[in-house]
Amino acid sequence: MEILAFGVQADEKPLIERGFAGHHEVRCVDVFLNEDTAPIAAGYEAVSTSVNAVLDRHVLNILADGGTRMIAQRSTGFNNIDLTEAERLGMTVARVSYYSPYAVAEFAWTLALAVNRRVVRSAIRSREFDFRLDGLMGRDMHGRTAGVLGTGKIGEAFSRIAHGFGMRLLGWDIAENPACMELGMKYVPKEQLLAESDLVTLHVPLMPETTHLIDADALKAMKDDAILVNSSRGALIDTAALVVELREGRFRGVALDVYEAEAGLFHVDRSLETVEDDTLARLVTFPHVLVTSHQAYYTEDAVGQIVDATVRNILDYKAGRRSENVLVPRT
C-alpha cells in the first residue's frame, strides 16, 4: 500500500521515508491537506496529515470519494478532525498519543528564558555591532514562582526543569500528578495560580472546556510583570484579549509557539505576502513578545517517535488491530 503524507517539512522527509522503509511506500508532499489539496489523495487508501490539516466534513467527503479509508495524523492534537463525520463515512482515524515530552518542555523553557533575558533583541543588536546593555536586563528565575497549567507528561518535564532552577511550583489540573508533588508542587485554583506566578506556562489539551482558558479575566488576574508561555495550542489564549493587555504595557514577556488562527499561516513562507490577520500583525510588533512557528515538538527524537507511531498506526489498520492511538476504529 502507498501512503500519501501531507504537510511534510524538509527536515522531516528523510525520517518519514526511513520509518516507512520495509513496510509501505510513502509519497511526501509539502502542501497541507485542505479543500484545495484533498483531490490529490484520490487513489490512496491511507493518508498521513499534520496538525495544520483541515479535516472538516467537506474535506473528509472528498477523501472518502477518492477512496481514502484511513487517516493517520502525525500529532497528539486532533481538534482539526471532524470525528463524527469520519465515523459516518466509515473512515479509520488515528493519532500519536505520545512522543517525547522533553522536546516541548525544553522549548517552552527556551521561550521563557529568551523573553526574560531579551535574547532576540540582543542578537539583533549584535548583528548591527550595537553592544549596549540598555533594555536587556533580565531577572533570576531562582526563588520565583512557576505556575504550570496542565501537569501531565509535558507539564511534569517542565516542572522538573523549574525545580532545577530553584523555583516555587504551583499546579492546576483536573488530577494531581504525584511526581510533581514530590518536587514540592502545590495544587491551587487557577485564579490563585495566575495571581501568584511570575511565570505561567500552558500544557493542557485543547477541548471545548479549555478554549480561551486564558481569557480577558484570566489575563487581568496575572501579575503585571509575569511571563506567559504557550507551547500547547493557540486557542487556549484569547489572543485579542491578550493584545489589549499588551497595549496597556502589561507583562514582562509573552512567548507563543502557537496561535489560535495559525492554520494556513504556520509552517509556510508568507514573507512575500501581505498577512491579513491584523491580530497577529499587531502581536509581533510588541518588543517583549516572541512568536515562533509551532516548533516545540520539532526535534529528531520527537519527530522520530511520531513517525514510528504513525507507521504502527497504519500497520495496525491493515491488520485490523486497535491501539490507544485510534480515535475512530475500523469498521
Side-chain angles (χ1 to χ4, degrees):
M1 181 172 68
E2 185 177 14
I3 294 92
L4 179 61
F6 283 93
V8 177
Q9 305 296 312
D11 297 333
E12 186 183 17
K13 184 177 179 181
L15 295 176
I16 290 179
E17 292 176 339
R18 191 181 312 133
F20 276 92
H23 299 292
H24 294 291
E25 295 293 326
V26 61
R27 176 191 171 197
C28 297
V29 294
D30 59 2
V31 297
F32 294 102
L33 177 59
N34 55 39
E35 181 180 351
D36 295 328
T37 61
I40 69 176
Y44 289 90
E45 183 178 351
V47 299
S48 177
T49 60
S50 68
V51 71
N52 282 333
V54 176
L55 286 157
D56 58 17
R57 179 178 180 276
H58 185 55
V59 171
L60 289 173
N61 276 271
I62 295 174
L63 293 176
D65 289 344
T68 298
R69 294 293 175 264
M70 197 274 173
I71 296 169
Q73 179 137 300
R74 303 188 307 278
S75 71
T76 300
F78 54 90
N79 55 287
N80 60 318
I81 308 173
D82 186 334
L83 298 180
T84 301
E85 183 66 12
E87 183 176 16
R88 188 190 72 80
L89 293 169
M91 304 176 83
T92 301
V93 181
R95 62 162 178 163
V96 177
S97 58
Y98 174 86
Y99 59 84
S100 170
Y102 310 107
V104 179
E106 290 171 7
F107 193 77
W109 265 110
T110 300
L111 295 175
L113 294 174
V115 294
N116 176 44
R117 301 304 299 269
R118 315 303 194 206
V119 172
V120 175
R121 182 185 300 179
S122 177
I124 292 172
R125 284 185 184 179
S126 296
R127 284 178 175 269
E128 298 174 351
F129 299 100
D130 177 357
F131 299 108
R132 292 173 299 158
L133 296 181
D134 296 346
L136 302 182
M137 184 174 286
R139 63 185 183 186
D140 293 358
M141 290 294 186
H142 179 84
R144 288 190 161 81
T145 300
V148 185
L149 293 163
T151 57
K153 292 182 175 64
I154 297 173
E156 178 187 331
F158 185 96
S159 299
R160 290 188 182 281
I161 299 171
H163 179 72
F165 274 106
M167 300 187 76
R168 172 186 177 226
L169 291 171
L170 296 180
W172 176 86
D173 209 328
I174 57 174
E176 298 178 351
N177 184 336
C180 291
M181 297 178 71
E182 289 179 5
L183 298 172
M185 176 176 283
K186 179 182 178 182
Y187 281 86
V188 297
K190 184 182 73 170
E191 294 72 21
Q192 181 181 347
L193 181 149
L194 295 173
E196 297 182 12
S197 296
D198 302 292
L199 166 63
V200 174
T201 182
L202 306 179
H203 302 291
V204 299
L206 179 61
M207 303 179 292
E209 298 81 9
T210 59
T211 298
H212 288 182
L213 178 70
I214 303 299
D215 57 12
D217 290 338
L219 292 165
K220 291 184 184 301
M222 292 174 61
K223 292 183 176 182
D224 288 342
D225 62 350
I227 292 172
L228 174 62
V229 177
N230 186 9
S231 57
S232 184
R233 288 291 180 267
L236 296 176
I237 297 178
D238 182 341
T239 316
L242 175 61
V243 169
V244 171
E245 297 301 313
L246 290 168
R247 290 181 64 180
E248 295 182 2
R250 299 194 61 224
F251 307 129
R252 177 172 186 81
V254 173
L256 308 174
D257 185 50
V258 288
Y259 174 61
E260 61 180 323
E262 69 181 57
L265 286 173
F266 282 21
H267 298 178
V268 295
D269 182 6
R270 300 290 187 187
S271 61
L272 299 179
E273 304 175 19
T274 299
V275 175
E276 298 178 355
D277 189 323
D278 292 338
T279 302
L280 179 60
R282 184 68 180 95
L283 193 63
V284 299
T285 65
F286 293 103
H288 57 315
V289 172
L290 175 59
V291 178
T292 52
S293 53
H294 202 150
Q295 66 187 81
Y297 76 98
Y298 207 52
T299 67
E300 293 180 2
D301 310 82
V303 173
Q305 292 168 2
I306 289 169
V307 171
D308 289 344
T310 301
V311 172
R312 289 196 303 273
N313 287 341
I314 293 175
L315 292 175
D316 286 346
Y317 160 76
K318 290 297 290 184
R321 296 187 296 263
R322 182 174 179 177
S323 73
E324 72 280 1
N325 289 338
V326 176
L327 299 169
V328 179
R330 183 173 184 174
T331 56

